[in-house]
Amino acid sequence: MITHDKVDIVSIGGGMTASIIAAFTLPGTSMRMVSLEQGDARWTYPDFQHNHDSLKHSNRYALMQDLSRVSWTWRPDSNSAALPMRQYGSFNPGSGVGGSMVHWTALTWRFMPTDFRYRTHHEDRYGADRIPEEMTVRDWPVSYEDMEQYYDALEWDIGVSGQAGNLGGRILPGGNPFEGPRQRPYPNPPLAQSSFGEKFWGATEKLDLHPFPTPAGILSRGWTDPFGNTRAGCLYCGFCTRYGCEVGAKSSPLTTWLPVALDTGRYEVRTRSVVLGIETDSDGMATGLRYINEDGEEHFQPADVVIASAYTLENIRNLLLSRSDAHPDGVGNDRGMVGTNYTYQLLQQPATGLWEGQRFNFYMGNGCTIPQIFDYNGDNFDHSGLNFIGGGRMYPSAGQREPVGTAQTIAGPFTERRWGSEWKRTLATHWDSIGGVGIEGESPAYRGNFCDLDPRFTDHWGRPLLRITFDWRDNERNNYRFLANRAEEIIREMGPDRMQVDKELAPYRYDVYQSTHATGGVTMGRDPGESVTNSYGQVWDTPNVFVTGAALFPQNAGANPTGTVGALAYRTAEAIRNRYFEAPRRLLE
C-alpha cells in the first residue's frame, strides 16, 4: 500500500460540500486538503461545449455513477428479498468532479421554520397522538434562525435568481409568502416563466392561491459572484437536468467554489480514486482514507480530519464499511444509529391535461422556469380534520422535454396503450400540448425504513452493497390523495380539453425515476442516543470525522434538499476553520 504525506483534511468525493469545505477553510491559512473523487475531471470548457446529446445524458447517464461497479439493493420491507439496481431508476447519483450538483435542476429552496422543529410543532398544534407510533420524525438540532445567515451566504455566492417573499418579516407581493424571514432579497431577478407556467399562475390566482417564481441556482443575467467568478446568464436551451451547463449559468462547484479552493495551491482533487474505508487508530479516531486508484493500486491518505462528503447512500455505506476493533459495527455506529431515519421525496404528477392545438414549447427551459405554490406545503394549511401530517409544494410541468426521453410517457395518459398507431398519432399531434400539475411532498421517517449492508450482493471490489428498505406508509398515501385533489382543481381551472387524475399513490418503485433526493441515514441531532452526528455533522463516536450532505436530515421536507445541504456545509466549514483546530478531536458545542 502506498502512503501519502499527511494533510489537514481529506474528503470522500469532490462534489458540492467538499468544495465548500475547501473554499472556506483553505484561503488565508496554511492548511492542505485532498478530495478523493471516484469519477473523472470535467469542466465547463471544454467538456460541456457540445453536450446536447439526450441519448448520452438522459438515457445513458453519462454523468452518473457506473452501476456495473457500485449499485444499491432495495426491498419494500424487511420480510422481502432485496435486489440490486442494474439500470438507473429511482435516483441518479453523479460521478466526477463537482458531483451531482453539476447535473442538478437547480431549484434552490430554504426549508421553512416549522420544518426544523417538526415534531414539536405538530405535537403542540395537533397533539402527540397525531404522529403515528412507527414514525420517528424529530426536531433538527438547528433552527431556521440558526440557518438563515448560511442560506443567505449560499444564495449570494451562487447568484440565485428569484423573488423574495418575506423580507425581514415584511411579506412582499409576487414572492413566497410562506417562507421564513430573509435578511436580503435574492441577488438576481427570477428566470423567465414558461407559457405553461403562466397558465398555471393564472389558474392558481383564480383559486386564491399564491404562485411565485422558482428560486433558481441559475443566473437570469450575467453575474460576478463575491469570489470574483464572472458567468453568463441562462440560454433557456433545455439541456439542463442530467447535463453540465455549457455557459456556466447553472451554479455548481465548477463555477463557484472549486476555482477558489484550487487557487490556494493547497487543494488537490484526486480523480478515479475509490475510497475503501475510513481507517482508525486504537482509540477509535480516524487516521485517514484507504482507497484504490485507476490502476488498481491501494493507497492510504493520512489526515487530521476526514470529511464524508459523498452522496447520501455512499455516505451511509462508507461509515458502515469502516469497521475496526474500535468500531466493530462501523464509524458512527457504536449505538446502532447509522442507516436509521432513511427518507426520500414524494414526487409525483397526479393530474395531466391535453390542450388541443396549443403549443407550449416544452423543449425550452427547465424546472426553474415555472411558478410554484406553497399553500399546501408543510403545515401551511390546517390539518385538524385530516388523516395525515405534512404536505408538499405544487408546480406545473416544466421544460427540457426531449423526444428520446419522453416518447414513452407523454402520450400515455391519453391512449389505451403505449404502442401502435393510436399512440403514434397522439404523440405526433400532442407531444407539445400535454402538461400536468406535480407535487413534491414530504417523506417522514419510520422505524421500518432504513439502510444496512446487503448480506448477498457486493460491488466491483467485493464490498457489500447498501441495502435500502423503504416504502410509503398511510400518511404519505393520504397526503398524496389530498394533494391529488388539489392538483385536479388547479388543472381544471387551467382549461384542458381532456384531463386525467390519478387519485391513489402506487407503491414505491425502485425502477422508476422520481428524484435524487435520498436523505437521512446519518442523521444529526442533539443526543448521541438518537443520532449519528451533532449539529455540525461531527460524528459523536469519532469526533475527527465530519459528515456533510442530505444524509444528515432527520426527515425530508416538501422541497429539494440542495439549498439546505449547502447552507449546512457553510456552517460546518466555518466551525472547522474557526473552532475545531483550536481543540482538535473534541466535540464542538
Side-chain angles (χ1 to χ4, degrees):
M1 183 165 63
I2 301 169
T3 299
H4 296 263
D5 292 338
K6 189 176 184 180
V7 296
D8 298 281
I9 303 171
V10 64
S11 74
I12 305 174
M16 176 191 188
T17 57
S19 65
I20 288 173
I21 299 292
F24 285 99
T25 58
L26 301 185
T29 72
S30 60
M31 290 193 290
R32 293 181 299 148
M33 178 172 170
V34 170
S35 290
L36 302 175
E37 168 55 49
Q38 65 178 336
D40 295 321
R42 69 265 177 104
W43 302 95
T44 302
Y45 183 84
D47 298 291
F48 304 141
Q49 294 309 291
H50 303 285
N51 69 335
H52 291 190
D53 185 339
S54 61
L55 188 64
K56 176 181 178 181
H57 289 91
S58 290
N59 294 79
R60 294 177 178 166
Y61 306 99
L63 300 183
M64 315 306 173
Q65 293 186 31
D66 183 352
L67 293 183
S68 70
R69 293 190 158 220
V70 177
S71 185
W72 313 271
T73 70
W74 169 78
R75 58 184 181 172
D77 56 69
S78 57
N79 295 318
S80 300
L83 293 173
M85 180 186 283
R86 300 189 186 277
Q87 59 186 24
Y88 268 113
S90 187
F91 32 73
N92 299 158
S95 178
V97 173
S100 296
M101 196 181 184
V102 170
H103 63 78
W104 68 320
T105 304
L107 287 83
T108 312
W109 298 109
R110 297 180 175 202
F111 285 176
M112 296 181 294
T114 53
D115 292 328
F116 291 98
R117 54 179 193 273
Y118 195 86
R119 190 174 194 99
T120 296
H121 171 82
H122 285 91
E123 288 183 345
D124 287 350
R125 185 172 185 184
Y126 302 111
D129 59 348
R130 285 298 302 274
I131 297 177
E133 190 277 331
E134 194 210 356
M135 189 182 283
T136 55
V137 295
R138 58 177 188 264
D139 293 354
W140 291 54
V142 292
S143 66
Y144 176 83
E145 291 72 23
D146 294 330
M147 294 295 297
E148 199 283 330
Q149 63 177 305
Y150 303 106
Y151 277 129
D152 176 78
L154 174 78
E155 291 165 355
W156 278 77
D157 284 353
I158 67 175
V160 171
S161 302
Q163 170 62 50
N166 183 341
L167 190 60
R170 181 166 57 96
I171 303 303
L172 302 180
N176 179 5
F178 302 102
E179 70 174 358
R182 58 175 61 247
Q183 60 180 284
R184 288 189 287 183
Y186 290 108
N188 288 301
L191 292 165
Q193 299 291 297
S194 69
S195 60
F196 193 71
E198 290 173 352
K199 185 179 286 289
F200 175 91
W201 189 296
T204 51
E205 281 193 324
K206 288 180 182 177
L207 293 170
D208 294 324
L209 302 173
H210 302 85
F212 61 92
T214 301
I218 300 175
L219 301 182
S220 58
R221 60 185 178 183
W223 168 256
T224 299
D225 68 28
F227 301 112
N229 301 307
T230 298
R231 296 153 52 202
C234 182
L235 300 177
Y236 302 92
C237 68
F239 295 88
C240 196
T241 306
R242 301 193 180 103
Y243 298 81
C245 182
E246 64 192 273
V247 296
K250 183 168 69 172
S251 303
S252 78
L254 308 185
T255 65
T256 306
W257 305 291
L258 279 170
V260 177
L262 291 170
D263 280 351
T264 66
R266 288 173 282 105
Y267 180 51
E268 177 188 0
V269 182
R270 213 168 284 163
T271 57
R272 299 186 180 183
S273 300
V274 176
V275 172
L276 299 178
I278 302 168
E279 295 296 296
T280 56
D281 60 22
S282 59
D283 295 327
M285 301 297 289
T287 58
L289 294 176
R290 185 167 54 91
Y291 68 98
I292 292 179
N293 70 3
E294 61 180 315
D295 297 322
E297 300 170 329
E298 192 167 323
H299 291 243
F300 177 62
Q301 177 58 65
D304 291 321
V305 170
V306 171
I307 309 290
S309 55
Y311 178 61
T312 293
L313 301 179
E314 287 303 285
N315 267 348
I316 300 170
R317 188 169 81 119
N318 282 323
L319 293 186
L320 292 174
L321 287 173
S322 299
R323 300 184 174 192
S324 63
D325 290 340
H327 301 294
D329 296 317
V331 167
N333 204 31
D334 288 4
R335 295 173 178 85
M337 295 303 299
V338 176
T340 63
N341 277 47
Y342 173 76
T343 52
Y344 188 48
Q345 194 92 71
L346 181 61
L347 201 150
Q348 306 284 327
Q349 182 174 294
T352 306
L354 190 157
W355 286 259
E356 301 272 1
Q358 292 193 47
R359 295 288 301 273
F360 295 114
N361 294 335
F362 277 123
Y363 62 88
M364 296 180 67
N366 81 336
C368 294
T369 55
I370 53 173
Q372 310 277 338
I373 61 168
F374 262 42
D375 297 74
Y376 303 115
N377 202 357
D379 199 38
N380 294 335
F381 57 104
D382 187 5
H383 288 68
S384 296
L386 302 175
N387 56 359
F388 65 93
I389 61 173
R393 70 176 176 94
M394 302 185 72
Y395 56 92
S397 290
Q400 121 169 18
R401 184 172 293 176
E402 304 166 337
V404 175
T406 61
Q408 285 294 315
T409 57
I410 291 299
F414 302 105
T415 58
E416 291 186 9
R417 56 185 65 88
R418 295 184 182 184
W419 54 273
S421 57
E422 180 195 4
W423 170 76
K424 289 179 181 178
R425 282 194 302 271
T426 302
L427 183 65
T429 306
H430 301 306
W431 180 79
D432 198 31
S433 306
I434 295 172
V437 174
I439 63 171
E440 183 176 55
E442 297 178 12
S443 179
Y446 295 94
R447 197 169 295 109
N449 286 343
F450 61 91
C451 298
D452 60 359
L453 296 178
D454 195 286
R456 296 173 57 205
F457 295 98
T458 58
D459 67 11
H460 177 76
W461 299 275
R463 304 174 301 164
L465 298 183
L466 188 73
R467 178 173 61 181
I468 302 166
T469 302
F470 178 84
D471 204 352
W472 309 120
R473 301 294 197 269
D474 284 342
N475 188 83
E476 292 81 83
R477 297 183 189 102
N478 295 334
N479 182 13
Y480 173 87
R481 194 176 297 116
F482 174 88
L483 293 175
N485 287 329
R486 306 290 80 74
E488 180 179 18
E489 294 167 358
I490 294 169
I491 205 161
R492 192 178 301 279
E493 188 65 41
M494 292 170 71
D497 296 292
R498 286 187 270 168
M499 58 183 286
Q500 177 177 308
V501 181
D502 296 321
K503 294 291 186 75
E504 300 299 322
L505 177 64
Y508 170 74
R509 286 184 59 178
Y510 196 43
D511 62 323
V512 176
Y513 183 77
Q514 291 142 81
S515 80
T516 306
H517 307 161
T519 57
V522 189
T523 56
M524 62 195 317
R526 295 187 176 91
D527 181 354
E530 66 168 14
S531 57
V532 180
T533 82
N534 64 15
S535 69
Y536 299 98
Q538 186 180 22
V539 176
W540 293 113
D541 65 32
T542 318
N544 66 335
V545 174
F546 288 79
V547 178
T548 60
L552 296 170
F553 293 9
Q555 58 273 330
N556 201 11
N560 304 52
T562 309
T564 301
V565 167
L568 286 171
Y570 270 50
R571 184 172 181 269
T572 295
E574 178 186 73
I576 291 174
R577 176 188 169 114
N578 296 341
R579 296 169 53 202
Y580 175 82
F581 282 104
E582 292 180 355
R585 299 187 169 204
R586 294 184 184 178
L587 287 165
L588 296 167
E589 296 181 358

